[in-house]
Amino acid sequence: MAEEKFEEALKKLEDTVREMESGDLTLEESLKSFEEGIRLSRFCAKKLDEAERRIEVLLKNEEGLDIQPFKGEDKSDP
């Protein structure tokens, strides 16, 4: 079985949220959708964390980690 991709999981999560917001689901359907949404949310968060770690490794130089703030991000934030 192929590994789920971030973009596919995010699209499913967006569809799940949209379906739940429609108000057309039964309580049982809403609970199943909520469970699936939580699973997808955790999967996406894990993939984003992995991407962040990969970027940190790529930015690492001989003197140590050289993390650059994103545009608009305040360097003084912890």
Side-chain angles (χ1 to χ4, degrees):
M1 183 175 195
E3 182 179 337
E4 189 168 30
K5 295 184 187 281
F6 173 81
E7 293 78 7
E8 293 169 352
L10 183 59
K11 173 80 172 92
K12 286 180 188 176
L13 180 59
E14 291 171 343
D15 292 344
T16 299
V17 170
R18 199 173 0 266
E19 189 176 33
M20 291 181 70
E21 288 179 338
S22 74
D24 296 333
L25 299 177
T26 65
L27 177 59
E28 191 60 35
E29 291 169 335
S30 293
L31 288 171
K32 285 184 180 179
S33 291
F34 183 77
E35 287 177 8
E36 179 66 3
I38 293 295
R39 183 191 72 77
L40 292 167
S41 175
R42 288 179 179 158
F43 174 82
C44 288
K46 180 182 170 194
K47 289 294 184 183
L48 289 173
D49 286 344
E50 289 172 359
E52 184 178 4
R53 283 195 298 273
R54 288 181 66 190
I55 290 169
E56 287 175 356
V57 168
L58 291 170
L59 293 176
K60 191 173 185 178
N61 61 28
E62 294 177 7
E63 299 169 6
L65 190 59
D66 185 20
I67 297 175
Q68 301 294 318
F70 287 107
K71 186 177 181 181
E73 184 180 56
D74 186 5
K75 279 183 144 182
S76 63
D77 288 342

